Amino acid sequence: MDVVVHLPDLPGQPVYVRLAEGLRRAILEGRFRPGERLPATRTLAQTIGLARNTVLEAYEQLTIEGYLIARRGSGTYVAPELPDQSFRPKEREGAAPATAQPGPKLSEFARRLEGIDVSLSWGAPRLPFDFRYGTPSFDEFPMAEWRALTRRILDYPPPELLGYGPPEGLPDLRTALARYLQRSRGVRCGEDGVVIVNGSQQALDLAARTLLDPGDVVAMEEPGYNGARAAFQAAGARVVPVRVDGEGIVVSELPRGTRVVYVTPSHQFPTGSVLSATRRMELLAWAWESGATIIEDDYDSEFRYAGRPLAALQGLDESGRVVYSGTMSKVLLPSLRLGYIVPPPQLRSAISRAKWLTDRHVALLYQAVLAAFIDEGHFERHLRRMRRVYARRLERLLHAIHRHLGSRATVSGAESGIHIMLTLDGVTDGRAIVEGARAVGVGIHSAAAYYAGERPPAAAFVVGYSSIAEEAIEEGIARLGRVLAAYDRLRGG
């Protein structure tokens, strides 16, 4: 066992007393836990450069005091129950009493982080009928194919997978993704235009770092994704909410002096509206005229159930004003932490350098496996299958809402994605519905957190359906209907 033991400065005291004090502090601070075995005296003596007899004397002293227990033939252990005293560093003789010193002074960036809510739903236990947003169906993940590709790559790993990789990502994966994005999303990019990132949140952080200075104005959809809002606020930007209607963000209401506008045009989060063709052209013209940059978050556009596929906004951009980003968290697994960003040419170098400073590169093994997964056709086969699975779950959800919630339920965003927005008429306290649902094992989640400026609807909910089985959807909404009926009775409705 390699250990570090600090010998405190105790003038006039022998070395074994200083060693005993250092070990006592380590025990009281929890670095050695009750019942844990300490290094053998010979080993510790060699490690810290003292005589073995010095270590023996220190161990004997702590054994007498009740901190250690010696077991014949087994070794020396921290006592299961420690003496009833608290740790007090001994002060030097004649020195003034120690005063508490302030901790490290926080930077302006760190102080901004204090006001940002970074709480996430991953810490909450899953409920039996959980309509959690953003989590794909783990049961449907093609684990056999992924495992086989991983094993194949690990059996004969090329040298470039064992060292440091380029910050932009492995060339094989960048090429595979570029081809996929060109074909399926109409994105304008070559392999040199794709940067592999640790999920869409890192893409947003890199874009914020390279595009914004403190005080710059960022226009955001209202309601909008609070992870994006947090990234912009951390960069010191002034985030201005801009209204969303049935055609997406209202371009005519974008404020003057906007440096960046953040949009989710293919499936607005959380309302689900789609940015219309007219608004798309209006937004691109506005960006050109104002000199602003558009960040397009294409977070779940792979799943569309009605109408023809929508091309990315970036594919319509001829002036290099759109930063495009996407993620594998919704289509594969969030734990892989794989996403991508396609910056305009003039931003690529800055993004790559910022990526290098942040974490050098995404895990190379996962990149190599994903490249093979895409090249060998597994990825698009998985997408086709999941569209069918999610379409069935969506149909079941809409039917259950109609049956159990009736005409007071309004649904938006059902044409694509893996969530809908549900609004309940006649409910003035959405929190009561959330808490009542939780009490009967149903997880629904208020949309209020996604509103920054406008007052949120009293009872609007983001309802995910990708990670809940079809048979559970019916029962979950039926229980929600009973919660709603109980709410009405309590309020005399």
Side-chain angles (χ1 to χ4, degrees):
M1 177 193 295
D2 292 331
V3 298
V4 175
V5 179
H6 298 288
L7 274 63
D9 186 9
L10 302 175
Q13 297 295 331
V15 176
Y16 87 89
V17 172
R18 295 172 59 203
L19 176 59
E21 179 64 19
L23 288 169
R24 183 186 296 107
R25 295 183 184 193
I27 291 169
L28 292 173
E29 290 170 352
R31 288 189 281 129
F32 294 116
R33 297 185 299 275
E36 184 175 356
R37 182 178 178 179
L38 267 63
T41 54
R42 191 184 307 276
T43 302
L44 183 58
Q46 291 174 346
T47 299
I48 62 179
L50 296 176
R52 185 186 179 201
N53 283 341
T54 300
V55 179
L56 280 169
E57 289 182 277
Y59 276 22
E60 288 173 5
Q61 178 66 34
L62 291 174
T63 301
I64 293 170
E65 295 178 5
Y67 289 95
L68 300 181
I69 294 176
R71 298 176 183 170
R72 186 179 298 275
S74 176
T76 304
Y77 296 80
V78 178
E81 295 184 8
L82 300 178
D84 185 18
Q85 59 180 346
S86 59
F87 168 55
R88 293 283 191 276
K90 292 189 177 179
E91 298 174 0
R92 294 191 183 188
E93 214 172 301
T99 57
Q101 296 297 317
K105 183 179 179 181
L106 296 180
S107 69
E108 184 179 342
F109 173 78
R111 292 196 298 274
R112 287 196 295 267
L113 294 181
E114 290 181 337
I116 294 174
D117 181 11
V118 295
S119 59
L120 298 173
S121 61
W122 56 261
R126 294 194 71 89
L127 295 169
F129 306 93
D130 204 333
F131 294 91
R132 183 174 301 195
Y133 161 72
T135 305
S137 178
F138 298 150
D139 294 341
E140 302 291 340
F141 182 75
M143 193 62 73
E145 290 85 351
W146 190 268
R147 185 187 300 114
L149 290 172
T150 303
R151 186 182 299 118
R152 188 177 79 197
I153 290 170
L154 284 176
D155 283 346
Y156 305 99
E160 58 266 25
L161 291 187
L162 304 179
Y164 292 105
E168 302 87 356
L170 289 180
D172 287 351
L173 178 55
R174 298 174 72 198
T175 299
L177 276 173
R179 290 172 179 165
Y180 165 73
L181 293 173
Q182 290 165 357
R183 182 174 62 253
S184 67
R185 303 294 300 125
V187 172
R188 299 173 183 237
C189 67
E191 63 182 76
D192 62 333
V194 179
V195 177
I196 309 302
V197 294
N198 280 287
S200 60
Q201 193 62 39
Q202 188 181 52
L204 291 168
D205 178 66
L206 291 172
R209 288 171 186 263
T210 54
L211 288 170
L212 296 169
D213 291 316
D216 284 343
V217 174
V218 175
M220 262 197 68
E221 300 165 325
E222 174 75 356
Y225 176 50
N226 47 16
R229 185 181 299 116
F232 303 141
Q233 289 174 338
R238 183 166 66 90
V239 180
V240 178
V242 177
R243 185 169 58 93
V244 167
D245 63 16
E247 294 186 70
I249 193 168
V250 181
V251 178
S252 61
E253 297 182 9
L254 289 168
R256 288 181 177 273
T258 296
R259 181 77 176 270
V260 167
V261 58
Y262 169 83
V263 290
T264 51
S266 296
H267 189 228
Q268 199 279 327
F269 186 83
T271 68
S273 64
V274 175
L275 192 64
S276 67
T278 301
R279 290 272 178 89
R280 289 172 184 244
M281 301 313 297
E282 186 182 355
L283 179 59
L284 289 171
W286 169 87
W288 168 255
E289 293 168 1
S290 63
T293 301
I294 301 167
I295 297 177
E296 177 181 11
D297 188 348
D298 211 18
Y299 66 100
D300 69 356
S301 62
E302 290 85 0
F303 304 113
R304 185 163 177 80
Y305 316 112
R308 58 190 179 90
L310 291 173
L313 178 68
Q314 190 263 11
L316 303 173
D317 176 31
E318 297 182 355
S319 60
R321 294 286 174 182
V322 179
V323 178
Y324 177 85
S325 71
T327 179
M328 293 292 165
S329 295
K330 307 295 185 295
V331 295
L332 294 178
L333 295 175
S335 60
L336 297 177
R337 302 313 305 139
L338 286 166
Y340 46 88
I341 184 171
V342 182
Q346 61 270 34
L347 192 59
R348 288 175 191 166
S349 176
I351 290 284
S352 296
R353 291 169 187 268
K355 181 74 172 67
W356 184 89
L357 286 172
T358 301
D359 61 4
R360 290 294 181 96
H361 56 75
V362 178
L364 299 179
L365 173 62
Y366 284 158
Q367 290 192 60
V369 175
L370 180 57
F373 192 76
I374 295 172
D375 280 339
E376 297 180 17
H378 301 296
F379 180 64
E380 293 192 63
R381 279 196 295 274
H382 176 62
L383 282 181
R384 288 193 295 270
R385 187 161 62 86
M386 295 315 298
R387 285 190 194 103
R388 294 192 294 271
V389 170
Y390 293 156
R392 290 196 301 269
R393 293 181 184 182
L394 173 61
E395 183 179 6
R396 189 73 172 265
L397 175 62
L398 296 177
H399 179 270
I401 289 173
H402 177 74
R403 179 178 179 184
H404 299 290
L405 304 181
S407 59
R408 67 190 304 178
T410 302
V411 170
S412 64
E415 293 77 19
S416 59
I418 53 177
H419 79 277
I420 60 168
M421 187 165 172
L422 171 68
T423 304
L424 295 176
D425 294 337
V427 174
T428 58
D429 186 0
R431 184 178 300 178
I433 299 297
V434 171
E435 292 173 354
R438 181 169 293 276
V440 295
V442 178
I444 60 168
H445 308 278
S446 172
Y450 304 112
Y451 288 81
E454 182 181 327
R455 184 176 179 179
F461 309 94
V462 177
V463 181
Y465 51 85
S466 53
S467 60
I468 182 169
E470 284 184 57
E471 55 272 18
I473 290 174
E474 183 78 27
E475 177 61 22
I477 298 300
R479 294 187 181 200
L480 180 60
R482 293 195 286 272
V483 169
L484 185 58
Y487 173 90
D488 290 339
R489 287 195 299 272
L490 284 173
R491 284 155 179 78

